[in-house]
Amino acid sequence: MKQSKQVFFLMTLILLLMSSGCKDKSALLAKTWMVNDLQYTTEVPKEMQPTIDKSVAEMRNSFRLTYNPDGTYKTQMNDQLLEGKWKMNWNSTIITSTTDKGATKDFKVLELTESSFKFEADEGGEKVIFVMIPAK
């Protein structure tokens, strides 16, 4: 009997420690973000680098991603607007977005602070890391 109480106490302590380290970062995400940089997980061929650099420069000027506290989001690039819903998993490592047409996609959160948001996306089989900063 005494051993089962010790096991119960130990398990409770472990759960408390685990949950205290897992902070919901949804409030940090709720703002408008802009692209600061794109990073590729595989090497970009040298002849493609100018095209990539031009695309990143265009995205800095025209791409905005807004996460609202009510669980909705809006993505805008030039005149194109996409809307949907978002939710973050229990330990703030995955954002699941669902478009207004019902398509669902997961994004791996690599960093989320007040001034920086990095996430990994699978774009056509290529993993791309979006480095975002708050929009001006």
Side-chain angles (χ1 to χ4, degrees):
M1 185 71 153
K2 188 174 182 180
Q3 187 177 11
S4 66
K5 284 185 180 181
Q6 289 174 337
V7 170
F8 176 76
F9 176 74
L10 182 60
M11 294 302 289
T12 303
L13 182 61
I14 289 171
L15 286 172
L16 285 172
L17 289 173
M18 285 175 56
S19 65
S20 68
C22 301
K23 183 179 174 189
D24 179 14
K25 295 184 176 184
S26 297
L28 292 173
L29 190 63
K31 65 177 71 167
T32 299
W33 298 92
M34 62 185 272
V35 172
N36 189 45
D37 194 15
L38 293 179
Q39 301 169 349
Y40 293 85
T41 57
T42 58
E43 189 174 341
V44 175
K46 289 185 185 201
E47 63 273 6
M48 289 292 299
Q49 195 61 52
T51 303
I52 298 292
D53 292 343
K54 183 179 177 186
S55 294
V56 171
E58 288 175 9
M59 288 183 78
R60 280 187 188 121
N61 293 325
S62 64
F63 181 80
R64 298 295 180 267
L65 175 57
T66 302
Y67 289 100
N68 297 307
D70 67 357
T72 60
Y73 75 87
K74 177 174 64 173
T75 302
Q76 187 168 359
M77 185 157 173
N78 296 322
D79 294 334
Q80 187 177 0
L81 179 67
L82 300 171
E83 296 179 305
K85 296 183 183 215
W86 69 274
K87 65 180 177 177
M88 195 173 268
N89 69 342
W90 68 276
N91 63 353
S92 301
T93 58
I94 301 289
I95 298 170
T96 301
S97 70
T98 306
T99 67
D100 53 1
K101 294 180 175 45
T104 300
K105 190 169 184 176
D106 288 338
F107 301 95
K108 182 179 180 182
V109 178
L110 303 175
E111 178 183 321
L112 180 55
T113 66
E114 189 69 36
S115 60
S116 178
F117 172 38
K118 287 173 71 171
F119 66 92
E120 183 179 274
D122 187 340
E123 299 295 329
E126 176 75 29
K127 295 205 184 292
V128 179
I129 297 171
F130 287 75
V131 181
M132 310 290 282
I133 58 174
K136 300 171 185 172

